[in-house]
Amino acid sequence: MGEKNHEETQAETIVGPSVKVEGELSSEGNVRIDGQVVGNVQTSQNLAVGEQAVISANVKALNAVIAGKIKGNITVDEALEITETGQIEGDITAKIISIAPGAIFRGQCQMPLSASQETAIEVEEVTE
Amino acid sequence: MGIWNLELRISLKIATLWVVTRRVKNCKLKIFIIMYYYIYDSFLENLKYRKILDRVEIRLSDLAIAGEASHVRPLRNLEEIVLEALGQGKRTIIAVGNDYTFKKIVNTVLNQNGIPLSEITVGIIPVGQPNFISEGLGVPANEMACEVISGRIIKIIDVGQVNQEYFLTQAVCGFGGKNEDRNKRGNLSYLQALHYKPQDIIIKIDDKFQARLDLFHLVLINLSLKKEALPLTNPADGFLNVFATSKLSPFSLFDKLKLIEGEKYALLPKTSVFQATKVQILSPHQKQIDILGDLQKIGSTPATIKILPRHLRIIVGKERTFE
C-alpha cells in the first residue's frame, strides 16, 4: 500500500507514507493519503485513505474510500466506503455508505436524502 | 572569398532583416517588422565553434532572419549588451550559446523594469553544452535551431523564483541538489551523490499546510525537460508541481535513480505530490541545503519558491515538452 505511486493512483495530491502534514490540505483534484494528517482535508473530487494513513482531521470529499484511521467528522457528497482495515472515530455523512466487515466505526451516521427520495417516502407514509 | 566573407559579415551586422506578415484589417495592409538581435557568448570564440557558427549564420541568412549581433567580450558583458539592445528598441533577443548564456539573458530581461515583459521575446540557438533548457523548449542544437527561430512559435510561460533568482524548468534539492556537476559529468555524478543522507525538512505549501519528512529528493517542476517525463507538466498553468520523495530503500536505489534521471517522478514510490504557487523550504536543524534551479545552484534553505504566472515570452520548437 505504501509503495503506491502517483501513476497508479491518478491522484493530483498525494501525501506519501512517513510524511506528516499539518494544516488545511485542500485540493480541486483527487487526493490520496498514506501518511499522517493533522488539520483539515478537503477535496471537490475523490479521496483515498491508505491502510497506513493516520488522519486527525475533519474530512470533506465527493467520494471517499477509507482504509486507514480517521479521527474526525467525514462529510462525503456521494459515496463513502470504509474497507475492512478502516477505523473511524467521528460522525459520517454520505448519500451512499458501505462499511466492510472488520471495519471499526464509532460515531453517528447520517444519510441526506435527495428531493425525489424524500417525496417517495412521504408518498409511502400517505399510502399506509 | 575573403571579400565575400567580409561582405557577408557586414551585411549580417548592419542588415535588419525582417519577417513580414500581412494582416488585412479594415481593408488596409499592415506590415509588421520583426528585428532579431543575436547575442553570442564569449566561449564561442573558441575555434572549435567556428564552423558551427558559420553554418548558423548562413542558415539565418537563408531564412531571412539574420539581424544585428553582439559578441560578449571581457569588457562588454552579457547583461550590458541585453540592456543596451532593449534601450535601442530591440524586442526579440536570441541567445547563441548554452543554457548559461540563455539564463543570463533571461535573468537580465526579467530584472529590468524599463520595458514591459509583454513586449520582449527571447529565444535560443543552442551551441555548446549544457543544453537541457533548450531540449525542454524543443529547440534543436546548432544551425537546426534557426528553423525554430524562423517558425516563431511564441509561448508565454510561467517563471519560477527562488528567493531573488529565477528558473525556467525545475528547482531541485536533497539528493538531486548534490548534482550541480551533472552537466559536466553526466549520470556518473549520481554515483558521487550516493552517500547522500536524507535530511529532516519542512515544506510549506501556499501558506495552507506544511509537510515534514526525511527528504531524499525534492523537485519543483515548471517545465519538464524530457518528453518522456511522467507526468508532463504545463509551464503555463500557474502552478509548480512539487514531488517530495522520502528516504528510499538502498536495495532498489539504482532503479529509483533511473526514474529520477528520466523525470518519471510519477513512478517513484514514497513520493508526495502537491501543486503550489508558493513553497517554503525549511531545514529545522539549521543545516543549509542547496537548491538548484535549471541545474545550477541558485540558493539554499531557508528558501521561498514562487511561480510568476505567464511571465516570459519565449520562442519554442514543435518538439517541446508541453502544448
Side-chain angles (χ1 to χ4, degrees):
Chain A
M1 197 78 168
E3 291 291 302
K4 284 215 174 191
N5 57 44
H6 182 261
E7 182 70 358
E8 290 168 48
T9 59
Q10 296 292 317
E12 289 173 24
T13 301
I14 299 178
V15 177
S18 70
V19 175
K20 186 175 182 183
V21 167
E22 290 177 14
E24 298 273 336
L25 180 63
S26 56
S27 172
E28 295 299 316
N30 296 337
V31 175
R32 178 173 181 86
I33 298 174
D34 287 309
Q36 290 181 61
V37 178
V38 178
N40 282 309
V41 178
Q42 188 167 353
T43 173
S44 55
Q45 297 298 315
N46 303 327
L47 170 71
V49 178
E51 285 178 31
Q52 308 299 321
V54 179
I55 298 174
S56 194
N58 290 328
V59 173
K60 282 185 182 176
L62 180 65
N63 294 290
V65 178
I66 312 293
K69 295 177 185 172
I70 297 182
K71 191 174 182 179
N73 298 330
I74 302 172
T75 306
V76 172
D77 292 339
E78 298 295 333
L80 169 65
E81 180 186 346
I82 306 170
T83 70
E84 61 270 28
T85 55
Q87 296 181 31
I88 293 173
E89 197 175 325
D91 299 339
I92 59 176
T93 306
K95 281 184 192 163
I96 302 165
I97 296 175
S98 150
I99 302 179
I104 297 170
F105 168 49
R106 286 184 204 151
Q108 291 189 337
C109 179
Q110 283 194 340
M111 296 180 73
L113 298 174
S114 63
S116 59
Q117 285 171 319
E118 279 179 1
T119 313
I121 288 172
E122 281 171 17
V123 170
E124 278 175 21
E125 282 172 357
V126 170
T127 309
E128 282 170 13
Chain B
M1 191 65 182
I3 292 170
W4 187 86
N5 256 336
L6 184 65
E7 280 179 358
L8 177 67
R9 281 174 193 285
I10 290 169
S11 66
L12 287 173
K13 288 275 183 193
I14 62 171
T16 304
L17 293 172
W18 338 336
V19 172
V20 178
T21 58
R22 296 176 177 187
R23 289 186 187 174
V24 178
K25 196 175 179 183
N26 298 331
C27 299
K28 287 179 183 173
L29 185 69
K30 286 191 174 181
I31 298 174
F32 295 90
I33 302 168
I34 297 163
M35 292 187 292
Y36 290 89
Y37 191 81
Y38 299 90
I39 300 178
Y40 291 69
D41 207 339
S42 56
F43 73 89
L44 298 175
E45 296 287 320
N46 191 315
L47 284 178
K48 72 177 179 181
Y49 296 110
R50 192 59 254 165
K51 284 184 180 172
I52 296 172
L53 293 184
D54 284 346
R55 290 202 301 270
V56 166
E57 287 171 0
I58 288 167
R59 194 73 193 114
L60 290 175
S61 188
D62 287 347
L63 293 166
I65 53 166
E68 223 174 304
S70 278
H71 295 251
V72 178
R73 307 269 188 228
L75 294 177
R76 196 158 182 255
N77 68 33
L78 204 145
E79 289 80 4
E80 286 172 357
I81 294 173
V82 173
L83 293 175
E84 198 178 294
L86 292 174
Q88 291 169 355
K90 312 293 188 302
R91 294 293 180 264
T92 301
I93 311 285
I94 309 294
V96 184
N98 58 21
D99 280 351
Y100 303 140
T101 318
F102 189 54
K103 273 299 294 292
K104 282 182 201 162
I105 289 176
V106 167
N107 282 341
T108 309
V109 166
L110 293 175
N111 281 326
Q112 61 84 35
N113 295 316
I115 295 141
L117 291 174
S118 57
E119 292 181 13
I120 305 170
T121 303
V122 294
I124 180 171
I125 295 176
V127 180
Q129 294 293 327
N131 273 325
F132 297 108
I133 298 175
S134 49
E135 281 175 32
L137 297 173
V139 184
N142 304 333
E143 69 272 20
M144 305 282 285
C146 301
E147 312 281 345
V148 170
I149 302 299
S150 172
R152 206 174 162 84
I153 301 171
I154 295 174
K155 295 286 176 184
I156 305 170
I157 66 167
D158 306 335
V159 174
Q161 190 177 25
V162 179
N163 295 336
Q164 298 307 314
E165 299 288 330
Y166 300 103
F167 66 92
L168 299 178
T169 60
Q170 306 175 359
V172 179
C173 79
F175 169 76
K178 291 281 179 188
N179 289 290
E180 193 179 7
D181 61 351
R182 184 174 120 176
N183 299 337
K184 295 172 192 164
R185 297 166 192 259
N187 298 347
L188 285 176
S189 64
Y190 275 119
L191 289 174
Q192 293 180 324
L194 280 176
H195 65 271
Y196 175 75
K197 289 180 183 168
Q199 297 184 54
D200 187 16
I201 201 167
I202 293 173
I203 305 166
K204 288 188 177 177
I205 306 284
D206 288 335
D207 293 322
K208 285 184 185 169
F209 65 92
Q210 64 176 43
R212 186 166 186 168
L213 67 154
D214 258 354
L215 181 77
F216 176 70
H217 182 78
L218 172 67
V219 59
L220 300 94
I221 306 178
N222 179 40
L223 163 66
S224 298
L225 296 174
K226 296 180 178 173
K227 276 189 116 173
E228 61 271 22
L230 272 175
L232 272 172
T233 55
N234 175 5
D237 62 0
F239 288 104
L240 285 167
N241 293 274
V242 182
F243 296 86
T245 305
S246 304
K247 186 180 179 181
L248 292 170
S249 158
F251 299 109
S252 57
L253 201 54
F254 265 107
D255 291 339
K256 305 299 181 289
L257 295 187
K258 280 183 191 168
L259 294 177
I260 291 173
E261 183 62 28
E263 293 188 25
K264 297 184 188 298
Y265 300 109
L267 301 178
L268 266 176
K270 294 190 175 181
T271 300
S272 297
V273 182
F274 308 107
Q275 276 200 326
T277 56
K278 181 184 167 190
V279 178
Q280 288 167 278
I281 306 173
L282 310 169
S283 36
H285 299 302
Q286 304 299 321
K287 190 177 177 184
Q288 285 199 330
I289 302 171
D290 289 344
I291 298 172
L292 304 190
D294 295 326
L295 303 176
Q296 282 180 281
K297 185 183 170 185
I298 58 171
S300 54
T301 57
T304 300
I305 303 175
K306 288 188 291 191
I307 194 84
L308 307 170
R310 298 179 65 77
H311 211 61
L312 184 68
R313 286 167 58 89
I314 200 160
I315 298 176
V316 297
K318 288 178 182 167
E319 293 302 310
R320 63 189 180 275
T321 60
F322 57 97
E323 288 302 314

